Amino acid sequence: MKICISCSAGGHLMEVLQIKEAYKDYDHFFITFYQKGIIDELKDSKVYFLTDPRRNVFLFLKCFFETFKILMKERPKVIISTGAGIAIPSIIIGKIFLRSKVIFIESFTRIHEPSLSGRIAYYFSDLFFVQWKHLLKKYGKKAIYRGAVI
């Protein structure tokens, strides 16, 4: 089974690295954008660095097509994400074109309100986790609380 871990660099990446025990024994790869210091964190992993969409429609489309090429080549069965914008193309493409299972973990920093990526990913996710119990009220019945990953 191949796993795609798709998330923005920085805090989102640090959160998904906290759960590496869940995917380390599987064939996996990362989709993220380049940020100084990231090479050290992912030195033993296969990584695709893409354009950071930064809520720009044109950059998002570029990222979408870059992601499409990667996912069609790699064909993951599972996509794990903690968000943000760079993850949305992976989630949508994986679910629609590959029928991948999607696991989304809402960011620990989202204490009171859902993130934009969380609100989108919720509809495509097979498992959807929140890290704050009171966020269960902000999402539907599919949301699961299991505590923080950090």
Side-chain angles (χ1 to χ4, degrees), residues 127-145:
L127 286 172
F128 188 93
F129 294 97
V130 295
Q131 297 186 59
W132 294 93
K133 195 170 190 174
H134 58 275
L135 274 183
L136 291 171
K137 296 175 197 165
K138 301 286 184 171
Y139 285 107
K141 294 180 181 180
K142 184 166 49 172
I144 301 165
Y145 171 74

Side-chain angles (χ1 to χ4, degrees), residues 16-17 30 46 48 56 58 69 76 84-85 89 112 121 127 129 131 137:
V16 85
L17 290 174
F30 287 84
K46 184 180 210 177
Y48 294 96
N56 176 298
F58 299 109
K69 274 178 63 175
H112 302 292
L127 286 172
F129 294 97
Q131 297 186 59
K137 296 175 197 165

Side-chain angles (χ1 to χ4, degrees), residues 47-65:
V47 183
Y48 294 96
F49 292 111
L50 303 185
T51 303
D52 179 6
R54 298 186 311 259
R55 293 193 181 194
N56 176 298
V57 172
F58 299 109
L59 293 178
F60 180 83
L61 290 173
K62 181 179 183 196
C63 180
F64 192 90
F65 288 112

Side-chain angles (χ1 to χ4, degrees), residues 100-119:
S100 301
K101 298 294 182 188
V102 174
I103 301 168
F104 188 84
I105 304 162
E106 180 67 280
S107 175
F108 183 76
T109 63
R110 300 313 296 202
I111 298 169
H112 302 292
E113 295 296 324
S115 65
L116 177 58
S117 57
R119 290 190 310 255

